[in-house]
Every structure is written in structure tokens, then in C-alpha cells.
Amino acid sequence: MYSTEKLHISINGRHIDSELLRSKSTGEPRPTIVLLHQGLGDRKQWGELPQLLCERLKVDVFTYSRFGHGQSAPFFKEEKPSYLEVEALQYLPQILTQAEIVDPFLVGHSDGATIALLYGSHFPKAVTGAFVVSPHVFVEELTCSGIKAAVASYEAQKGFYRALNELHKEADKLMSRWSDTWLAPEFSSWTIEEELRSWQKPLMVVQGDKDEYGSLSQVTAITQRVEAATKILTGCGHLPFSERAEDMFSLLVDFYGAVVELNT
């Protein structure tokens, strides 16, 4: 059982759409799970996962949509091109403070995975652990090719276009900011690889071997610098939470349980 709370979170007076599922368990408090969505997603794209985690693990689960996503306020102009660092190092600390979340367990997908890695690397004592899926720690040609294909699909104004416009208040701006950042020539040398050496807490990295936005080299880049558990999903693309929902739920539940046990 759990209760649902809509939190009043804002940064510089700008609204962040968020929700906290609060477990009604009377057991020992457990680290709150914080879900960090992908580059074109929002908090609602997690579907039933927050509820399932809350019920199964008897833990609070927090979701929010970043600026420019879903029903949150539009982007700040100064975010581009380093929006991942801004989200991880400026906004996420403020959001967690306002939500009164201490030592979170971070679950991130794609851009959200990168944000989780950045946050935990810069604030290594401020997380309990992390479960990152399809992360980006450097730019590779496969990433750019996937983004170009996504842009072409969006500009054709078919299913992908309709789906994004149903999710976001300003889908055109979101698509432009996301694609323009990753495809900019000056962004081609972007990397967070060396920052990862500061990571201290339990980490699991999950990657599909058919991911259209990133290769297994992303996983290698992480494990060369951080001690981490890994899971490669054969035949899986960029959306493991959709493509392998049951497997992902089991992996996440088991890893979270192991981290909690390690800290007791």
C-alpha cells in the first residue's frame, strides 16, 4: 500500500512536475528510489514501474519531469549545450532537497542514466547506489546516427511526432534542443569518463546489444573506471524497460535489495 503526493517543487520560481509514492510500510526506512527519465521522456513514461517498485520493495519512489519535458516549465536558455551537467549538478540537488530525499537510490535511463552518473560522481557520499540503463558517457557515431534517424522520423510528422506532442507541452523545442546539442560539432568531444573515477557506491549498468543510440563501448568505458555490475541484454535496443519489462524489473529489484542489505 502507498499514498500519492504531488510535491510543490520549483527552481527560480519555475515549476517542476513531480510525484512521490510514499510506502505505508511500517518496516525500517529504505533509500528512496529516484527515477530519471530519458532524453525525450517525462516522468509519466515510467508507466506502472513506480507503483510496482513501491509495492514490491515497500519503498518510497520519486519521479519528476525535467524542464522542457512533460508538464514542467520550459527550458532555461542558459542550459545549452551542457544541459546534462546542469541537470545533474545544479537542478537535481535542489530537487532532492525540496523533496526531502537524502541518500537516494538513482535509477536512470539514457540521458537520465548520464545524469545519475554525473550526480554520483560529483557527490559520491550523497547516493546509496545507482542502476543505470543505456547510459551515455561519451559521444559516438552510433549515437549521432540514431539521433539523426529520430529527427527524420519526427519531421515526417507521423507516429513519433504525435507521441511526443502528446507527452510534452513544447515538443518542437525539446526535439531541437536534444538533437542540436548532440549533433553540434563542438559537442563531439564531450565525455564524462574521467569524472566517473570519483564514483564510490554500488552501481549496475544495463545495456542492450542492439541499442540504436549507443554501443557496448559505453559499458566498457564505465567499467574501466568504476567497479560495477553489468548486464548485457541480447537482442535488446535502447528501451529495455519496454522491450524487456519483466527482466528489467527483476534486475532492479534484486540489485536494490542487495544494496540495501549491504548497508544494513
Side-chain angles (χ1 to χ4, degrees):
M1 297 292 291
Y2 59 87
S3 60
T4 302
E5 300 179 16
K6 297 285 286 185
L7 305 184
H8 299 287
I9 294 177
S10 64
I11 297 175
N12 296 335
R14 298 163 71 88
H15 171 67
I16 291 286
D17 181 38
S18 64
E19 184 174 85
L20 177 67
L21 301 185
R22 194 178 295 280
S23 172
K24 293 186 177 181
S25 171
T26 57
E28 287 293 319
R30 290 181 154 197
T32 299
I33 293 177
V34 175
L35 299 177
L36 303 168
H37 62 74
Q38 62 170 306
L40 295 178
D42 76 334
R43 69 174 188 82
K44 293 183 179 178
Q45 276 201 316
W46 292 107
E48 296 182 347
L49 182 62
Q51 292 87 345
L52 293 172
L53 290 171
C54 188
E55 291 178 343
R56 176 70 171 271
L57 294 170
K58 296 178 173 52
V59 61
D60 295 349
V61 180
F62 177 71
T63 60
Y64 74 97
S65 297
R66 299 190 291 274
F67 285 125
H69 298 254
Q71 300 306 304
S72 288
F75 298 117
F76 283 107
K77 291 182 180 179
E78 65 270 20
E79 287 179 353
K80 189 178 176 181
S82 59
Y83 74 93
L84 293 165
E85 286 80 0
V86 171
E87 291 287 354
L89 309 183
Q90 295 183 32
Y91 298 160
L92 184 54
Q94 295 182 64
I95 291 167
L96 294 175
T97 296
Q98 291 185 46
E100 299 182 346
I101 296 172
V102 180
D103 297 335
F105 181 89
L106 303 178
V107 177
H109 175 222
S110 193
D111 276 11
T114 302
I115 290 167
L117 290 170
L118 277 164
Y119 181 84
S121 295
H122 283 260
F123 308 107
K125 297 185 183 301
V127 297
T128 300
F131 183 90
V132 298
V133 182
S134 310
H136 305 292
V137 298
F138 66 94
V139 180
E140 55 184 326
E141 183 55 40
L142 180 60
T143 309
C144 296
S145 297
I147 290 171
K148 290 175 183 177
V151 171
S153 177
Y154 185 81
E155 290 178 344
Q157 297 192 5
K158 296 183 179 179
F160 185 47
Y161 175 88
R162 291 192 296 271
L164 283 187
N165 277 273
E166 288 174 1
L167 279 177
H168 309 292
K169 291 190 291 187
E170 297 184 325
D172 286 355
K173 290 183 179 179
L174 173 59
M175 172 59 78
S176 176
R177 181 254 210 167
W178 174 70
S179 59
D180 288 353
T181 297
W182 282 94
L183 298 178
E186 62 270 22
F187 198 70
S188 62
S189 60
W190 173 89
T191 176
I192 65 167
E193 292 167 279
E194 293 311 306
E195 294 169 74
L196 296 175
R197 295 189 187 278
S198 299
W199 187 276
Q200 297 179 7
K201 297 301 179 69
L203 174 65
M204 184 167 193
V205 184
V206 181
Q207 179 76 32
D209 68 354
K210 300 299 182 184
D211 189 334
E212 56 270 40
Y213 292 96
S215 73
L216 299 183
S217 295
Q218 300 287 339
V219 179
T220 301
I222 296 171
T223 56
Q224 286 178 339
R225 295 163 176 84
V226 182
E227 183 177 344
T230 62
K231 179 65 176 180
I232 306 303
L233 300 174
T234 304
C236 185
H238 189 64
L239 305 173
F241 282 107
S242 298
E243 298 174 49
R244 301 288 176 83
E246 292 185 7
D247 292 340
M248 291 297 292
F249 184 70
S250 296
L251 282 170
L252 177 49
V253 166
D254 290 348
F255 185 66
Y256 178 88
V259 171
V260 170
E261 184 175 345
L262 186 66
N263 285 275
T264 57

